[in-house]
Amino acid sequence: MNQTIETKNKALVLEAFDTLFNKRDYVKAERYWSPDYIQHSAHIAPGREGLFDLIKSLPPTFKYEHGTIVGEGDFVIVHGRFSNFGLPVNWIAADIVRIEDGVLVEHWDVIQDEATQEQSKSGEAMFGRTFATYASAR
């Protein structure tokens, strides 16, 4: 079966994110991120090293879950949840990555705190079908 570039790129991004964020396999993750990786996020230091150092600094409870993913050409956008990373609330993010020659070369993100059911004016969960619950109110 001949896969489109978009299908291949979406699979690459999901595998890369799982390898780094959930498995924390930094050696294998180097295969997915370019040594010249360009980081546009306000939350992450420059380059691949900035990203890897951030993940290394997070508690072992840190978890990433992906949701909707779309691809067009060399760009992939994945909607996901970052949880248990030391802040009082989860983050819901749209991560945008550019892929070149089978590696992630550039990244942007849009991040917001995940709302509880009580905080949601729409009455809809921000990620998946369930609301976040937190031990203490914000």
Side-chain angles (χ1 to χ4, degrees), residues 38-83:
I38 301 168
Q39 181 61 261
H40 296 277
S41 176
H43 302 282
I44 307 171
R48 179 173 76 182
E49 295 77 22
L51 175 62
F52 286 20
D53 288 347
L54 171 67
I55 302 305
K56 289 175 184 175
S57 76
L58 297 175
T61 54
F62 171 71
K63 180 180 176 184
Y64 175 76
E65 303 165 79
H66 71 83
T68 301
I69 185 167
V70 295
E72 182 174 329
D74 293 334
F75 289 89
V76 171
I77 302 172
V78 60
H79 183 245
R81 174 192 281 144
F82 294 92
S83 59

Side-chain angles (χ1 to χ4, degrees), residues 68-112:
T68 301
I69 185 167
V70 295
E72 182 174 329
D74 293 334
F75 289 89
V76 171
I77 302 172
V78 60
H79 183 245
R81 174 192 281 144
F82 294 92
S83 59
N84 301 314
F85 55 95
L87 292 181
V89 296
N90 300 333
W91 280 354
I92 304 301
D95 287 285
I96 305 156
V97 294
R98 183 172 66 85
I99 297 157
E100 189 174 282
D101 298 325
V103 294
L104 285 67
V105 295
E106 200 162 7
H107 170 263
W108 301 259
D109 57 33
V110 180
I111 299 173
Q112 63 185 136

